[in-house]
Amino acid sequence: MDNSSALQTKEPLWTADFIKLNVSNFMNFFAFYLLMPLLPIYLHETYGIGKHEIGAVLSGYTLMALAIRPFAGYIVDSFDRKRVLIMFYGAFFLLFSGYLIAGSLALFAVVRTLHGLPFGATTVANSTAAIDALRPVRRAEGIGYYGLSNNLAMATAPTVALYVYSLYHSFTLLFSCALAIAGVGLFFASSIHPSERQPASDRHVSLDRFFLLPAWREAMVMAALSFSFGVISTYIAIYTHQVLSDSVSSGTFFLLAALGLMVSRLTGGRSLGRGRALQNAQWGMSFSLIGYVLFAVSQSEVAYYLSGVIIGLGNGHMFPAMQTIFINLAPHNRRGTANATQLTAWDTGIGLGIVVGGAVSELYGYSAAFVCGALVNALGVVAFWVWCRSHYTLNRLR
């Protein structure tokens, strides 16, 4: 065993703070994705609006998360990270109560749009605090496992939401559950005890404090990869309900995606620790593309569920590898900016997927929207293989 491997086995990975931050991150994303697949149904049944209007209302959340993330990275790097985390997470928790009291479409749209601000900022603050809690020799491996928390939430929360809705048909119950889950996450986030760190003394305002300029190519690829996920995660429930047979369950789709995520994360974490971020990213995104294409071109039940497994397996390798790539392109005092840049790119793709997917489905149907998502994803995969691999190798800092 070489010295680096021996040191890695001696350094703890699952410290108390790292565990708490994984839990708070899971709760943050679980509360968000608990509502995401059912909000199109809620808006259609409650307010009677069409597909294009649904996309417009729901995209406000993502656009606000996108707008705040670059500033959140600057704030996280410049001030006490625990206080910033609690402030943002507290606002994220409180705004869930707005869904319970919104009595009109306009008010709901305002609450939903505003809610994107603390969500976007919380994800940056929480992930940066988690990276701080990791020992340097376990950081890449830890990032892989940390990403499992939000990816599992993405996959399992819609399953739970659809199951609860099938039993009770109550959106009030779902909104209340999301509020409670966010409260649990806030509790865990507020209980961490981070080591003392000196916030960045240089607080001048410039573009590189809000966006990690060396990673602009990777950011464009990330946006293309998340576009297809934005289309599927938003419209799969209403597509399944209106187009496919009653025997097909979108909840089962997300459950199978979660299983794929768990398998890939458990097998890919140590690979990241051995410095194989580039390989994990390129094979993960290529594998996910197969799943998106399969979902788009076939309406058979077998293809529907198999695509969920494949997308889960691919994203489970791709997402933490891409986060590691962004971190490795940034100086140590720009970790918040690196996280913000990656998440901004992810949200950009999600938001565009929601808006474009809604418009395409209105004109040509949901199948065309899913084909559009697969095509954009394919562009992102090709761009990474051709455009980003050599750029990352030449510019990585560690």
Side-chain angles (χ1 to χ4, degrees):
M1 181 181 294
D2 59 35
N3 291 336
S4 61
S5 299
L7 180 60
Q8 189 171 0
T9 58
K10 293 179 181 178
E11 292 284 359
L13 174 63
W14 295 101
T15 61
D17 276 359
F18 187 59
I19 292 172
K20 291 175 182 177
L21 289 163
N22 270 273
V23 174
S24 65
N25 187 56
F26 177 82
M27 295 300 177
N28 180 43
F29 278 90
F30 195 95
F32 168 51
Y33 281 101
L34 190 71
L35 302 183
M36 189 170 184
L38 285 168
L39 285 179
I41 297 176
Y42 170 76
L43 291 171
H44 178 71
E45 292 184 352
T46 305
Y47 302 109
I49 60 176
K51 302 170 188 175
H52 184 66
E53 290 82 1
I54 289 172
V57 170
L58 297 182
S59 64
Y61 186 103
T62 305
L63 292 174
M64 287 298 101
L66 169 64
I68 193 63
R69 281 208 167 120
F71 300 98
Y74 173 82
I75 293 170
V76 166
D77 284 336
S78 301
F79 301 96
D80 183 88
R81 284 177 178 164
K82 180 178 178 180
R83 292 181 182 178
V84 170
L85 174 59
I86 294 173
M87 178 182 67
F88 287 144
Y89 214 132
F92 175 71
F93 160 69
L94 290 174
L95 274 172
F96 274 108
S97 61
Y99 301 123
L100 295 167
I101 62 176
S104 66
L105 177 61
L107 184 56
F108 180 91
V110 169
V111 172
R112 182 66 181 171
T113 300
L114 289 176
H115 205 180
L117 293 172
F119 173 75
T122 299
T123 52
V124 173
N126 201 96
S127 60
T128 307
I131 292 170
D132 285 344
L134 290 165
R135 303 296 193 271
V137 295
R138 307 297 298 271
R139 184 166 293 135
E141 182 185 1
I143 288 173
Y145 289 120
Y146 176 82
L148 180 60
S149 61
N150 56 276
N151 284 151
L152 280 178
M154 291 179 190
T156 56
T159 304
V160 173
L162 292 162
Y163 178 72
V164 171
Y165 180 72
S166 68
L167 289 178
Y168 301 103
H169 294 279
S170 172
F171 287 102
T172 298
L173 176 60
L174 286 169
F175 294 149
S176 300
C177 288
L179 176 67
I181 290 166
V184 174
L186 175 61
F187 169 78
F188 277 95
S190 63
S191 66
I192 65 171
H193 300 284
S195 57
E196 290 292 330
R197 57 170 291 274
Q198 190 66 32
S201 57
D202 179 12
R203 296 180 182 176
H204 75 280
V205 177
S206 60
L207 180 59
D208 65 333
R209 296 304 307 273
F210 301 103
F211 186 88
L212 187 64
L213 295 178
W216 67 270
R217 300 184 186 201
E218 289 76 9
M220 292 183 68
V221 167
M222 197 72 181
L225 298 177
S226 64
F227 182 96
S228 45
F229 185 79
V231 176
I232 284 186
S233 62
T234 303
Y235 298 108
I236 187 174
I238 196 168
Y239 165 73
T240 304
H241 177 69
Q242 293 183 356
V243 178
L244 301 183
S245 66
D246 293 335
S247 63
V248 179
S249 168
S250 54
T252 304
F253 174 93
F254 284 110
L255 179 60
L256 292 171
L259 293 175
L261 280 165
M262 284 191 291
V263 171
S264 62
R265 282 303 174 84
L266 292 174
T267 58
R270 290 196 175 275
S271 177
L272 277 178
R274 292 193 292 269
R276 303 191 66 213
L278 193 63
Q279 293 86 344
N280 276 27
Q282 61 194 19
W283 289 113
M285 64 181 63
S286 300
F287 205 60
S288 293
L289 175 60
I290 296 173
Y292 288 120
V293 171
L294 181 62
F295 185 92
V297 302
S298 175
Q299 292 187 356
S300 74
E301 189 170 340
V302 173
Y304 180 91
Y305 291 130
L306 181 60
S307 65
V309 177
I310 295 173
I311 290 170
L313 286 169
N315 282 351
H317 279 292
M318 179 273 294
F319 197 92
M322 288 297 289
Q323 185 173 19
T324 302
I325 286 172
F326 276 81
I327 294 297
N328 287 347
L329 288 170
H332 291 294
N333 64 346
R334 293 289 188 272
R335 288 176 188 161
T337 303
N339 279 322
T341 301
Q342 186 215 11
L343 293 169
T344 297
W346 180 261
D347 279 344
T348 299
I350 292 281
L352 289 173
I354 293 172
V355 174
V356 175
V360 172
S361 63
E362 183 76 42
L363 294 173
Y364 305 107
Y366 288 112
S367 295
F370 298 136
V371 170
C372 177
L375 289 174
V376 173
N377 192 274
L379 289 175
V381 173
V382 172
F384 185 86
W385 280 81
V386 173
W387 204 25
C388 293
R389 289 187 301 166
S390 59
H391 172 265
Y392 172 69
T393 302
L394 291 172
N395 292 278
R396 60 179 297 178
L397 300 180
R398 48 190 171 274

